[in-house]
Structures are given as structure tokens and as C-alpha cells.
Amino acid sequence: MVSFSAFRQARRLFALGIGAVSLLSGCSSEAPPSNPDTGPKMPEGGLLDYPVDAIGPFRVGYRSFLHTYQPKGVEGPREIRINLWYPTLDEEGTPPVYLNVFPDDDVFEDASVAPPMEAAGYPVHLHSHGYSGFGGTSSDMMHWFASHGWVAVAPDHKGNTLPEHEDTVPLAISFLRSMDLTASLDALEALPAEDPLAGKCRTDEVLLSGHSFGGRTAWASGGAAYDLAAIQAMCDDGTKFSEPCTPEQIAVFGEGLGDARVKAGIPMASGVGDEEPGWFGFDGYDPVKKPYMQMSGSLDPVGAENVFARVTSIDFTWLDFEGGCHQLFALGGCQEFESYEGWRLVNTYAFAFARRHILGDTSDKVQKLLDGTEVLSPKVKFQHK
């Protein structure tokens, strides 16, 4: 983890970087134009009318709430905090402070909700944080999407957050994380009628991303097939988990954790060992049967190359960022990669991928970014199969 001061400094750099990116792309990062009589106006056009490589036309609001559901494989209900980022026309507000430690000066807490840009409602980006993380660790990506009229959703995975840090966790955390994601979509669909987002979130076709442990969660929730023998071997090892495994828990993995609402996935900073089967074995990735874009940093040897080698039949892209560290896709602070530059590149590629596979964007810019014809930086190594 980076320190509070490093995080705050990185946020400031990113704020400066937004202006530079906007000038280069011809899109301003300033607030939507206002009218002294009617207040801020809705941006003109639709979801695909703004540059994919710049912050969108909205300011960003944030809220969180507690949600209780009953997961499989454990006794009793589970309560999680669900974090939401969404478009707003508000021009000022109070920034949230995630975990009462990490401020986000680019976002307004409990801001009003801007109307959706299209009658179909807000497209949805679902995210899973890393080991001992929290929903706001990749808030820059959430901000980017929300500024373009999306609703971004990231639960805090109870039992595996920063305040609860432990070196090992129970086996159940590995399936509870995916269940948290499914429960988050269910909660969006069940918002009370008076909620401004009620009935307006397009949860039928969702983009899913995940950082580190969340990258594995992104594969699982997309429909990857678990290797039960490999999981049993981890349990038999006796040191992998904080509690003994049970046959009932292993059976949950056998049922699969995929959510049909996930239409495309972006695992970041995750992988598998060279010869080890890992959680999905040697052929468990292809069952997702949907496009995936894997991102990694060259200074973070997580085994992303091994995942790329094992995938054989899906639309699969791998972006490796030269000089990128593990936190390039979350809090930033890499020694050889400026945070604002890293966030700009990661967010642009992720957003282009989302526009193509969730919104059907076939524009020239998006096509070139996703087929490698246009590379945004010499630091980006692009591979596709």
C-alpha cells in the first residue's frame, strides 16, 4: 500500500493530468456549462459522443450503503458495504474520504444524480478490489466511467479489507467475493422506487473489472471453471488458509460462480504460477466465453503471461505496462510510472474495451485501440488472440 501522503500527491498529479489529456483530445475537463437561471445543463449527445481517451462531460458523485444477503456455503446472512460512483451536474460538494483515510477530491459525496444520457439508462461497471483493499482503491477508474454517464459499483469484500488485514483468510472468502459482486447487482436492481437510480441501471449487460485478488474474482464471476483437485490440494497443504476447509465449501466452487449479467471482463495485476494449476487449472479460463482484457505491470511478476498462454478460445487481449507496479491499477505510487500517466492509460484502454463490448462502439478510435493499430504509449505492450 502507498502512504496517505503519496496517495494525496498522486491524486493531485492526476488532476493536473486530466487537463493535459483534455487539451490533447480536444475535450475540456471543466464542469458542464451552467445557466444562471436554470443551473448546470445536461451534456448534449449520447454515451458515444465524447472522446474515449479523456474524462467525460459530467462531474462525479459518490455514495455508499450497507446491503445484507444470504450467501451459499456459510451460516447466517452477510452484510457488505456497496460503493457507487455516478454522474452528477453538481458543481461543488464535499469530497468523500474512503475508510476515513483516503480523500478523493475529484468526487462529491451524496451529490445529486444527473439523468441518464440515454433512455435505456446508465451502463454499469462492476469492480472487485484486491487483497486487503477496499471499494475505493481503483476510484480513478470509477471516476472515469462515471464522468461518461456510467454507474460504477464496487463492494467492500467483508473479511478481506484493509482494516481487517490478515496474512491468510478462510477459503470461503474466495467464493464470497464473487457472491458480493452478484449481490451488488441484485441490490442495484432492488433499489426502492424513490431512489434516483431505481430502475435506471443497465444491469443486464455489465463490465466487470478486478485488481489483484479481484482479478481472480473477475475470472470467477465471468464464468471461469475452478479446478477442484487443485483447491483440495491447497486445503491439504494446511498453510494456505486461516481455517480448515470443508467439503461443503469446496462444493460451492464446483457449482461455479459465474453471473450471466457479466458480458466482458478486465482482470488487472493477477496471474498464475508457471507450472502450478492455480485456481482454474490449465484449461479453466476459456469457459467464460466472453471478451477479456488482461492488464499487468512489467515490475509485478504475477504470472500474467501464463494466463495468456492458457487462454485459447476467447477474444483475449493482454496489455503489459513497462515499469508498472502492482498498484498501477489502484492507488498508484509506482516508482517508475507516474500515477496520473498510468491511470490515464489504464482508464482509456479499459473504457475503450467497455464501449466496444458493452455499448457496441465500432468507432475508428476504439477499433484501433483494441486491435493494437494505435498504441497510446511506447510503455504499453499489446498482445491479442
Side-chain angles (χ1 to χ4, degrees), residues 321-375:
F321 295 81
E322 182 65 34
C325 69
H326 197 68
Q327 289 294 336
L328 178 69
F329 315 96
L331 294 178
C334 299
Q335 292 185 353
E336 298 187 21
F337 217 121
E338 288 184 306
S339 296
Y340 80 87
E341 179 189 11
W343 287 326
R344 178 182 69 85
L345 293 172
V346 168
N347 294 343
T348 297
Y349 278 109
F351 191 52
F353 183 78
R355 291 242 302 227
R356 174 67 186 91
H357 296 294
I358 304 300
L359 300 182
D361 186 350
T362 58
S363 65
D364 186 62
K365 179 73 171 182
V366 166
Q367 293 278 53
K368 287 181 176 179
L369 287 175
L370 297 184
D371 67 15
T373 303
E374 178 178 345
V375 178

Side-chain angles (χ1 to χ4, degrees), residues 160-202:
N160 195 212
T161 64
L162 181 58
E164 305 167 290
H165 173 74
E166 298 289 346
D167 290 338
T168 58
V169 294
L171 172 66
I173 289 294
S174 289
F175 61 71
L176 287 171
R177 286 171 139 266
S178 283
M179 293 177 184
D180 290 347
L181 296 179
T182 289
S184 296
L185 294 182
D186 293 343
L188 271 187
E189 295 175 351
L191 289 171
E194 63 271 19
D195 192 292
L197 294 175
K200 299 176 182 177
C201 296
R202 294 154 63 169

Side-chain angles (χ1 to χ4, degrees), residues 42-43 47 57-62 85-90 111-117 122-123 142-143 145-152 197:
M42 273 289 291
L47 290 164
F58 291 99
R59 294 293 183 97
V60 176
Y62 165 82
W85 293 260
Y86 52 87
T88 182
L89 298 179
D90 291 2
S112 63
V113 179
M117 297 188 80
Y122 310 94
M142 307 298 100
H143 174 275
F145 276 76
S147 76
H148 280 272
W150 290 56
V151 168
L197 294 175

Side-chain angles (χ1 to χ4, degrees), residues 227-241:
D227 186 327
L228 299 188
I231 295 175
Q232 184 65 63
M234 293 183 219
C235 291
D236 294 342
D237 176 87
T239 65
K240 301 290 187 182
F241 308 109

Side-chain angles (χ1 to χ4, degrees), residues 94-379:
T94 302
V97 182
Y98 308 125
L99 298 183
N100 295 317
V101 175
F102 301 99
D104 193 342
D105 296 334
D106 296 326
V107 175
F108 303 147
E109 188 162 18
D110 295 325
S112 63
V113 179
M117 297 188 80
E118 297 177 356
Y122 310 94
V124 174
H125 177 186
L126 181 63
H127 180 75
S128 177
H129 67 71
Y131 195 101
S132 291
F134 53 95
T137 48
S138 294
S139 61
D140 282 280
M141 182 179 287
M142 307 298 100
H143 174 275
W144 190 283
F145 276 76
S147 76
H148 280 272
W150 290 56
V151 168
V153 189
D156 291 343
H157 293 301
K158 183 179 179 180
N160 195 212
T161 64
L162 181 58
E164 305 167 290
H165 173 74
E166 298 289 346
D167 290 338
T168 58
V169 294
L171 172 66
I173 289 294
S174 289
F175 61 71
L176 287 171
R177 286 171 139 266
S178 283
M179 293 177 184
D180 290 347
L181 296 179
T182 289
S184 296
L185 294 182
D186 293 343
L188 271 187
E189 295 175 351
L191 289 171
E194 63 271 19
D195 192 292
L197 294 175
K200 299 176 182 177
C201 296
R202 294 154 63 169
T203 55
D204 56 330
E205 294 190 347
V206 170
L207 173 76
L208 173 58
S209 64
H211 173 246
S212 192
F213 195 171
R216 179 177 9 123
T217 307
W219 281 107
S221 291
Y226 279 99
D227 186 327
L228 299 188
I231 295 175
Q232 184 65 63
M234 293 183 219
C235 291
D236 294 342
D237 176 87
T239 65
K240 301 290 187 182
F241 308 109
S242 61
E243 300 174 359
C245 307
T246 68
E248 292 77 16
Q249 290 173 339
I250 295 177
V252 173
F253 294 100
E255 296 175 11
L257 296 168
D259 192 313
R261 293 170 291 191
V262 173
K263 297 302 178 184
I266 306 177
M268 303 177 292
S270 67
V272 65
D274 197 10
E275 297 181 359
E276 64 182 79
W279 290 80
F280 307 114
F282 294 94
D283 55 5
Y285 296 94
D286 287 332
V288 298
K289 297 180 180 178
K290 53 182 67 79
Y292 264 60
M293 173 182 277
Q294 172 179 261
M295 297 187 185
S296 61
S298 66
L299 300 185
D300 182 32
V302 293
E305 69 281 2
N306 297 322
V307 176
F308 190 73
R310 296 183 190 188
V311 171
T312 61
S313 65
I314 65 171
D315 180 348
F316 191 41
T317 302
W318 175 25
L319 301 180
D320 194 48
F321 295 81
E322 182 65 34
C325 69
H326 197 68
Q327 289 294 336
L328 178 69
F329 315 96
L331 294 178
C334 299
Q335 292 185 353
E336 298 187 21
F337 217 121
E338 288 184 306
S339 296
Y340 80 87
E341 179 189 11
W343 287 326
R344 178 182 69 85
L345 293 172
V346 168
N347 294 343
T348 297
Y349 278 109
F351 191 52
F353 183 78
R355 291 242 302 227
R356 174 67 186 91
H357 296 294
I358 304 300
L359 300 182
D361 186 350
T362 58
S363 65
D364 186 62
K365 179 73 171 182
V366 166
Q367 293 278 53
K368 287 181 176 179
L369 287 175
L370 297 184
D371 67 15
T373 303
E374 178 178 345
V375 178
L376 295 177
S377 167
K379 296 181 179 180

Side-chain angles (χ1 to χ4, degrees), residues 70-92:
Q70 180 57 59
K72 297 179 181 179
V74 298
E75 294 184 2
R78 176 173 170 83
E79 184 182 66
I80 58 172
R81 179 168 295 279
I82 297 175
N83 304 278
L84 297 178
W85 293 260
Y86 52 87
T88 182
L89 298 179
D90 291 2
E91 296 180 318
E92 58 184 16

Side-chain angles (χ1 to χ4, degrees), residues 22-56:
S22 300
L23 288 172
L24 289 171
S25 65
C27 177
S28 174
S29 64
E30 297 178 355
S34 62
N35 182 302
D37 298 321
T38 62
K41 292 183 178 180
M42 273 289 291
E44 296 180 355
L47 290 164
L48 303 183
D49 291 328
Y50 291 85
V52 71
D53 57 348
I55 289 289

